[in-house]
Amino acid sequence: MAQDTDKRNFALRETGGEEPSVFSGRTPRQAALKAARRLDPADSEVAAKANSTTIQLREKGTTKVHVYEGWAWNERAPDDKPDWMPTEITKGNVSKEGVEHLEEI
């Protein structure tokens, strides 16, 4: 089993500076993809990308804020899906916009 020592925590920042959720991943992009799947999904990827949302993730213990444009859409599950998986799943994608630094935490 993989060790959790490589994982880092990223707090989702809202416009007021609140941090209601924490996502973990080895890279900021991995955490951003998890956050993107929680967005309100569109019917297709094209429609979703047109209505992308800014996702800001602060790396815990630092003042670095990773900024992404994220979008989500619903898609039919693959034919070889396990029994527990629903027939429609939410997929997400992100595009990195840059890194900002906060004055203080």
Side-chain angles (χ1 to χ4, degrees):
M1 186 179 274
Q3 293 182 359
D4 287 339
T5 57
D6 294 338
K7 290 197 175 184
R8 301 183 304 191
N9 291 319
F10 300 89
L12 179 66
R13 288 183 62 86
E14 292 181 344
T15 53
E18 300 88 30
E19 297 179 348
S21 301
V22 176
F23 298 94
S24 62
R26 290 187 176 166
T27 64
R29 185 175 190 278
Q30 189 177 35
L33 286 169
K34 291 177 182 181
R37 289 192 56 217
R38 292 201 182 175
L39 296 173
D40 189 27
D43 293 332
S44 69
E45 184 176 7
V46 174
K49 191 170 183 179
N51 295 322
S52 63
T53 303
T54 300
I55 298 172
Q56 293 185 334
L57 296 170
R58 182 181 64 83
E59 189 169 349
K60 293 287 230 172
T62 70
T63 59
K64 270 196 244 182
V65 178
H66 301 270
V67 181
Y68 290 87
E69 285 296 316
W71 57 95
W73 68 96
N74 286 329
E75 194 171 276
R76 190 169 165 261
D79 293 334
D80 61 346
K81 71 177 182 63
D83 293 336
W84 55 264
M85 185 181 281
T87 56
E88 193 170 270
I89 58 174
T90 302
K91 292 192 128 191
N93 203 354
V94 293
S95 174
K96 187 146 190 180
E97 299 296 312
V99 177
E100 298 173 357
H101 294 276
L102 297 175
E103 295 289 322
E104 56 186 60
I105 297 177

